[in-house]
């Protein structure tokens, strides 16, 4: 595995790979890698000749009071994991390689792309500017890495839909591949922030997915959507979760729905904090086989 820190070195590797006709697969991450990230690396390994994984904690997607400075950065450990999964190139640019004036915000950077129709609901409500910062940096990295295929997790479904829309609308020459959410054996969706859960919160955390699954079962039994969601919110609150949202949305438009009868697949989406640690999850409702 080659570890590369500059766009220039990456371009040289890209030229070599392209000359040999290689298909290039790319997994963008912020590090603190777990099996969720590594499942995307494995998928890229199966489908591509050259696998590139980036680790970069993107300052543009963190709000002023969010955990940009304290976000975990276990670089050596991450590199060991990537090497063990047969990654070809680990791309770890420093902050100033990407943002030469140490830009911290989109305003500092002075350039942005946005997918507004998908960015203001769900997580966009509480994290103003988050998705614009995410999608701007992601486009920058797609331009640097120039992959044929790029791998994104359904765990962050809104993010995935924003990237798919960016790529589709702007005709970026890359295929976006969806990776299923990887979970702990008890059902908790893997996340770099799960380490922040206290033992007590960790023990309660699988209830988020369990309650989503129960809500899905009730809906498929014909339960009324508003009533089922109310019950699920109450259950979570009763267990000590601070529920930010628990809603049903169409998969493509991420528009909230109040009945299940529409023609489009629907998912349940939830964000809830346990003892200050924000957990996210989503499961399909009308496409049960993919859950
Ligand atoms: P992050 O490092 O959190 O920015 O995540 C990098 C990529 O890994 C994104 O495409 C995430 O959706 C994906 N990812 C994170 N957690 C999981 C998971 N539990 N299962 C599948 N993909 C995941």
């Amino acid at each position: 595995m080659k570890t590369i820190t500059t766009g220039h070195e990456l371009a040289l590797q890209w030229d070599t790979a392209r000359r040999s006709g290689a298909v290039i697969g790319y997994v963008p991450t912020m590090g603190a890698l777990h099996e969720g990230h590594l499942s995307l690396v494995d998928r890229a390994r199966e489908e591509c000749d050259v696998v590139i994984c980036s680790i970069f904690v993107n300052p543009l997607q963190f709000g002023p009071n969010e955990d940009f400075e304290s976000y975990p950065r276990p670089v050596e450990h991450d590199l060991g994991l990537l090497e063990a999964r047969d990654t070809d190139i680990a791309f770890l640019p420093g902050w100033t390689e990407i943002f030469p004036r140490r830009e911290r915000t989109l305003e500092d950077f002075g350039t942005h792309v946005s997918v507004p129709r998908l960015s203001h609901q769900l997580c966009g409500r509480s994290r103003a500017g988050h998705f614009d910062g995410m999608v701007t940096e992601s486009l920058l990295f797609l331009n640097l890495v120039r992959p044929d295929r790029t791998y994104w997790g359904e765990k962050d479904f809104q993010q995935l839909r924003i990237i798919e829309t960016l790529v589709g609308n702007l005709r970026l020459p890359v295929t976006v591949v969806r990776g299923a959410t990887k979970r702990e054996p008890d059902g908790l969706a893997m996340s770099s922030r799960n380490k922040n859960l206290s033992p007590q919160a960790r023990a309660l955390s699988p209830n988020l997915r369990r309650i989503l699954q129960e809500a899905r079962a009730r809906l498929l039994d014909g339960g009324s959507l508003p009533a089922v969601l109310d019950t699920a919110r109450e259950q979570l609150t009763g267990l000590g979760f601070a529920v930010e949202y628990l809603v049903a949305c169409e998969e493509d438009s991420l528009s909230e729905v109040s009945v299940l009868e529409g023609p489009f697949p629907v998912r349940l989406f939830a964000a809830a904090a346990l003892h200050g640690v924000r957990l996210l999850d989503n499961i399909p409702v009308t496409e049960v086989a993919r859950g």
Side-chain angles (χ1 to χ4, degrees):
M1 183 174 84
K2 287 196 167 58
T3 301
I4 285 180
T5 57
T6 68
H8 178 67
E9 282 171 275
L10 187 66
L12 295 178
Q13 294 295 328
W14 190 91
D15 286 343
T16 309
R18 251 313 174 271
R19 261 200 301 276
S20 69
V23 172
I24 298 173
Y26 171 44
V27 182
T29 81
M30 297 207 301
L33 301 179
H34 50 65
E35 283 299 317
H37 300 112
L38 297 173
S39 68
L40 299 176
V41 172
D42 289 346
R43 177 92 180 267
R45 183 71 282 163
E46 280 164 26
E47 298 176 354
C48 305
D49 302 305
V50 172
V51 175
I52 303 177
C53 179
S54 63
I55 298 180
F56 182 72
V57 183
N58 169 26
L60 307 187
Q61 73 186 62
F62 287 79
N65 301 318
E66 293 183 1
D67 54 350
F68 172 59
E69 277 80 17
S70 64
Y71 197 83
R73 291 167 170 85
V75 175
E76 291 308 318
H77 186 245
D78 284 349
L79 288 175
L81 293 172
L82 290 179
E83 175 110 57
R85 304 303 262 260
D86 208 11
T87 307
D88 296 298
I89 297 177
F91 179 45
L92 277 76
W95 186 354
T96 53
E97 174 68 16
I98 302 301
F99 299 115
R101 293 172 297 282
R102 296 179 83 78
E103 290 94 330
R104 171 74 176 83
T105 65
L106 276 176
E107 242 170 49
D108 296 341
F109 191 42
T111 304
H112 82 272
V113 286
S114 181
V115 181
R117 209 155 30 86
L118 300 179
S119 299
H120 300 309
Q121 60 276 59
L122 300 173
C123 292
R125 272 193 222 279
S126 64
R127 302 187 77 188
H130 165 72
F131 287 118
D132 288 357
M134 180 284 293
V135 73
T136 299
E137 181 256 15
S138 298
L139 177 57
L140 191 164
F141 270 74
L142 286 171
N143 282 333
L144 284 176
V145 179
R146 290 176 287 160
D148 299 290
R149 299 169 72 76
T150 181
Y151 295 80
W152 295 74
E154 290 185 343
K155 152 81 174 25
D156 303 288
F157 200 87
Q158 185 173 16
Q159 168 173 279
L160 165 69
R161 284 292 305 124
I162 289 171
I163 294 296
E164 287 176 340
T165 304
L166 174 87
V167 165
N169 285 357
L170 299 186
R171 302 342 184 245
L172 301 184
V174 62
T175 300
V176 180
V177 182
R178 294 181 176 194
T181 302
K182 271 284 198 187
R183 298 179 180 279
E184 301 291 353
D186 61 12
L188 174 67
M190 290 181 179
S191 161
S192 304
R193 292 187 174 101
N194 289 351
K195 291 189 187 72
N196 299 335
L197 291 165
S198 66
Q200 197 193 354
R202 176 64 190 82
L204 285 171
S205 59
N207 285 299
L208 180 59
R209 199 255 192 142
R210 180 181 64 77
I211 287 170
L212 287 177
Q213 284 179 313
E214 285 174 12
R216 169 172 64 186
R218 286 200 197 106
L219 290 170
L220 295 176
D221 270 355
S224 116
L225 187 51
V228 168
L229 296 182
D230 278 349
T231 306
R233 284 187 209 105
E234 278 164 23
Q235 285 176 308
L236 283 170
T237 308
L239 287 165
F241 286 82
V243 180
E244 186 181 310
Y245 60 76
L246 196 168
V247 291
C249 296
E250 284 175 8
E251 275 199 12
D252 273 25
S253 67
L254 302 183
S255 305
E256 211 171 313
V257 295
S258 51
V259 288
L260 274 191
E261 280 85 62
F264 303 111
V266 167
R267 275 185 183 250
L268 295 179
F269 292 85
L274 258 184
H275 305 188
V277 180
R278 189 168 178 272
L279 302 175
L280 275 187
D281 211 336
N282 69 86
I283 63 168
V285 176
T286 46
E287 282 186 323
V288 181
R290 286 176 57 196

